[in-house]
Amino acid sequence: MSSLNKILIPFDFSEASVNALEYVVNFVGTERAINILGLYVGVMPMSESDSEKLKRDFLKVLDSFNVKLKVNPEFTTDTGEVIGTILSAQEKSNADLIMMGTMGDKITDEAITNTSKLVLEANCPVISIPYGTAIKEPKNIALVMGGEKIDDKNVLGTLLDIARDFDARVHVLTIYKDSVFDEEAIKDSNENLLEYYLEHFYADHTFTKNEDVEQGILDYINEKNIDLLAILPRNHAEKSSPSEGRLTKLLTLHSEIPVLALD
């Protein structure tokens, strides 16, 4: 049984957030008892009537997707610094997952910072949804791993939930900048864990060499028709790479498919 019960989606009525909401609605579908909580974060306090109008407008956007959800979505408004307010709302609502729209690198530096900052700071899984991504179920998921051993198996929980819900295949990718001489040792240390915790959804593990790790990942996405990219945050690795935070930010900016940051 999936442990996904509530999804928080920051929503500001922008094109990116509307696109993300449509993706979330189709992600939840008609049979999953998952609550969607929309959150509008304002700079200045707003009146009750303004909050009610935003709620009505949010519900109108939902209705336009023509998807009958099993659980009626909720909507709330708050005021404050965007990232801190979203993270606070996630904690208060006990949301299991944040799904957030992004224009990637097509927008201003400030918005780019907000998107990447949320992904890196959240203490729960986050899916960033790029504007223009296909609205479809994830059937092929790529889990990108570095050369580190997974020392917190629980981080794979959300990935397994998604794989179960969509009967998806999980393809693991490890890219080396230099040599792949030690790939067998790393593979042995993680293989049994991946097979056990990802069950029969675990498909394969590819090792490849590319000096440009980000480009190697983007090429793999295209070659394998990947629908969802999953990445492990550096605090779940025994030997963290100081560039991994940068890689996470780059992937959320440049990927044309949703990116799941596991935490």
Side-chain angles (χ1 to χ4, degrees):
M1 180 181 294
S2 175
S3 62
L4 293 178
N5 298 307
K6 181 176 289 188
I7 295 172
L8 174 67
I9 172 169
F11 190 81
D12 61 2
F13 297 91
S14 64
E15 289 183 319
S17 65
V18 172
N19 178 79
L21 183 60
E22 184 177 8
Y23 185 92
V24 172
V25 166
N26 283 272
F27 182 93
V28 171
T30 59
E31 300 300 321
R32 300 181 183 91
I34 300 175
N35 187 18
I36 296 173
L37 173 60
L39 170 67
Y40 179 89
V41 180
V43 178
M44 301 291 290
M46 65 187 71
S47 65
E48 185 176 343
S49 61
D50 286 340
S51 295
E52 285 299 318
K53 183 181 184 303
L54 288 175
K55 181 177 181 179
R56 290 194 299 270
D57 291 343
F58 175 77
L59 294 177
K60 286 179 183 178
V61 175
L62 277 172
D63 289 341
S64 71
F65 303 141
N66 295 316
V67 177
K68 182 65 176 178
L69 297 167
K70 200 166 186 178
V71 180
N72 290 330
E74 301 175 30
F75 183 80
T76 187
T77 61
D78 206 342
T79 304
E81 185 271 327
V82 175
I83 300 305
T85 304
I86 293 171
L87 296 178
S88 177
Q90 182 272 321
E91 290 184 1
K92 291 176 182 177
S93 66
N94 292 315
D96 306 294
L97 175 66
I98 298 174
M99 297 180 74
M100 182 178 183
T102 176
M103 292 295 286
D105 57 0
K106 305 178 185 68
I107 47 174
T108 65
D109 289 341
E110 181 180 357
I112 287 174
T113 302
N114 282 339
T115 301
S116 58
K117 186 177 179 182
L118 176 70
V119 170
L120 292 171
E121 290 190 13
N123 289 319
C124 73
V126 178
I127 297 181
S128 61
I129 304 164
Y131 178 69
T133 192
I135 307 298
K136 63 178 182 179
E137 296 183 348
K139 291 297 186 180
N140 284 291
I141 303 171
L143 170 62
V144 176
M145 294 177 55
E148 306 89 358
K149 177 182 176 182
I150 300 174
D151 54 318
D152 183 1
K153 57 185 179 295
N154 295 321
V155 77
L156 299 175
T158 300
L159 179 59
L160 177 57
D161 283 338
I162 293 173
R164 282 174 175 164
D165 283 349
F166 298 101
D167 192 25
R169 305 276 76 80
V170 179
H171 308 270
V172 181
L173 172 66
T174 297
I175 296 180
Y176 292 85
K177 283 187 177 181
D178 302 309
S179 172
V180 298
F181 73 93
D182 57 346
E183 68 176 52
E184 288 303 322
I186 295 169
K187 182 175 180 180
D188 289 342
S189 69
N190 285 325
E191 208 69 15
N192 290 339
L193 185 148
L194 291 168
E195 289 179 358
Y196 181 79
Y197 285 98
L198 295 180
E199 302 173 355
H200 63 279
F201 305 104
Y202 175 41
D204 50 62
H205 194 161
T206 299
F207 293 84
T208 186
K209 178 182 176 181
N210 194 321
E211 292 185 1
D212 187 335
V213 175
E214 182 198 6
Q215 190 58 52
I217 294 170
L218 297 179
D219 289 344
Y220 182 87
I221 288 172
N222 292 326
E223 291 169 6
K224 300 294 184 180
N225 294 315
I226 299 299
D227 306 308
L228 176 67
L229 177 65
I231 53 180
L232 291 165
R234 62 184 176 184
N235 56 304
H236 289 290
E238 290 182 340
K239 297 181 179 179
S240 298
S241 167
S243 64
E244 190 168 348
R246 178 176 178 274
L247 177 61
T248 297
K249 181 167 67 174
L250 289 173
L251 289 171
T252 58
L253 293 177
H254 300 152
S255 174
E256 295 182 356
I257 64 171
V259 178
L260 166 62
L262 296 164
D263 205 322

